[in-house]
Amino acid sequence: HEMECDLYTRNIFVQFEHYFSNANRVGPAEVKPLKESIIDKLWKKSCTTPSEVLGATYNYGNAFFAFEHGLVTFVMLNSYTDTAPESVQYKWLENYLEASFNRTQTPWLLVGFHCPFYTTFHGHNKEKQALEMKANMEPLFVKYGVNLVISGHDHAYMRTKPMYKDKVVEKEVDGVIYMTVGAGGNREGHSEFLHPDEPEEWVARHDIAEFGYSHFFAPNATHANLNWIRDGTTSDGERDRVWLRNAHV
């Protein structure tokens, strides 16, 4: 994980802070060492952090930020730092969506973070940091009209129907589509389904058979094309395609 800590200082996200130069940084990174309660749970007390982590602190820097590209505003959030309403990250997100996001200029609003709110796979189901983030931030996503949330973590592909609070919504304007794109390729192989025989009723499409990547193309304010393509191919390897209608314009 990107949050692997420094062996000597126990500071987290050291590598991630040096991966890329981010012109959209909100401010200098604020990072605190892992708490002793977390260190005790590490594998052989090394810096191999577990998937389920609460109590880490990493604000600003490359932790959360936003940028505009074409007709899209993309907001990047951090699954592994505090997401409570009084947290730095939550307050920044709420203020950004209220004061800076302009749907007239960028009609599409996308959000990305590592740990998915909804999953149809074994391995990372109901992890604490994802459940807390979902409880805290899902209402903001609906309030400000997020069109699509993109996550990873699970080594597979999934696209949901429009969701809010664990239910498929009747009107698209009242929910968000969630997509997991974690099957780019890895040495651990694919995830496994929670329900192999029949997916949950809120799952629109899922796949654990192939590795792939996604494209999101917004040619106008009202419609965008979302697809998932098998690694090593182009359009002939397309495994999922859907045209999204923007219910917020």
Side-chain angles (χ1 to χ4, degrees):
H1 287 128
E2 292 83 354
M3 74 169 297
E4 305 294 358
C5 66
D6 180 83
L7 183 61
Y8 302 102
T9 65
R10 300 295 185 181
N11 281 334
I12 53 176
F13 288 98
V14 175
Q15 298 91 329
F16 187 66
E17 268 296 297
H18 293 83
Y19 278 163
F20 59 95
S21 177
N22 182 2
N24 303 287
R25 291 163 74 97
V26 181
E30 296 179 356
V31 184
K32 295 182 180 179
L34 287 175
K35 297 179 180 179
E36 290 297 327
S37 59
I38 298 178
I39 293 175
D40 289 340
K41 298 178 182 179
L42 301 181
W43 181 72
K44 295 185 178 179
K45 294 194 175 182
S46 66
C47 269
T48 304
T49 50
S51 295
E52 189 173 52
V53 174
L54 283 177
T57 300
Y58 173 37
N59 294 314
Y60 303 123
N62 292 336
F64 48 83
F65 55 90
F67 63 90
E68 298 175 2
H69 182 76
L71 299 178
V72 178
T73 287
F74 192 91
V75 178
M76 192 70 190
L77 300 175
N78 186 350
S79 298
Y80 293 110
T81 197
D82 196 357
T83 61
E86 66 275 9
S87 68
V88 173
Q89 181 173 212
Y90 183 100
K91 289 180 179 178
W92 171 81
L93 174 63
E94 185 176 40
N95 181 70
Y96 178 85
L97 294 177
E98 180 65 34
S100 300
F101 172 58
N102 184 343
R103 197 176 289 275
T104 301
Q105 181 174 328
T106 53
W108 293 92
L109 177 58
L110 275 60
V111 174
F113 47 85
H114 189 63
C115 304
F117 287 179
Y118 297 95
T119 182
T120 184
F121 309 109
H122 273 297
H124 300 301
N125 186 38
K126 295 183 178 180
E127 288 186 344
K128 293 178 181 178
Q129 75 279 353
L131 292 177
E132 286 203 2
M133 188 177 188
K134 177 183 173 186
N136 294 326
M137 292 188 166
E138 190 179 29
L140 284 182
F141 294 174
V142 172
K143 177 181 178 180
Y144 290 100
V146 172
N147 298 100
L148 177 69
V149 169
I150 304 169
S151 297
H153 210 27
D154 289 307
H155 300 162
Y157 173 76
M158 181 194 73
R159 173 172 57 84
T160 74
K161 300 171 185 176
M163 301 286 294
Y164 185 49
K165 293 186 176 180
D166 301 311
K167 295 181 180 179
V168 178
V169 298
E170 294 184 6
K171 299 179 180 179
E172 293 181 1
V173 72
D174 296 326
V176 180
I177 294 173
Y178 294 84
M179 185 169 69
T180 297
V181 189
N186 67 88
R187 61 191 173 91
E188 297 174 331
H190 286 93
S191 301
E192 296 180 356
F193 290 132
L194 284 169
H195 305 287
D197 297 329
E198 185 176 356
E200 297 83 349
E201 58 90 21
W202 44 264
V203 174
R205 179 79 167 85
H206 66 181
D207 187 285
I208 58 172
E210 297 180 304
F211 296 106
Y213 60 97
S214 285
H215 282 161
F216 179 87
F217 174 57
N220 56 52
T222 60
H223 290 81
N225 181 249
L226 178 67
N227 61 7
W228 185 63
I229 302 171
R230 182 165 57 88
D231 280 354
T233 63
T234 54
S235 59
D236 60 327
E238 195 171 64
R239 292 299 185 261
D240 187 24
R241 171 187 281 268
V242 62
W243 279 95
L244 305 180
R245 184 180 68 85
N246 194 342
H248 303 284
V249 297

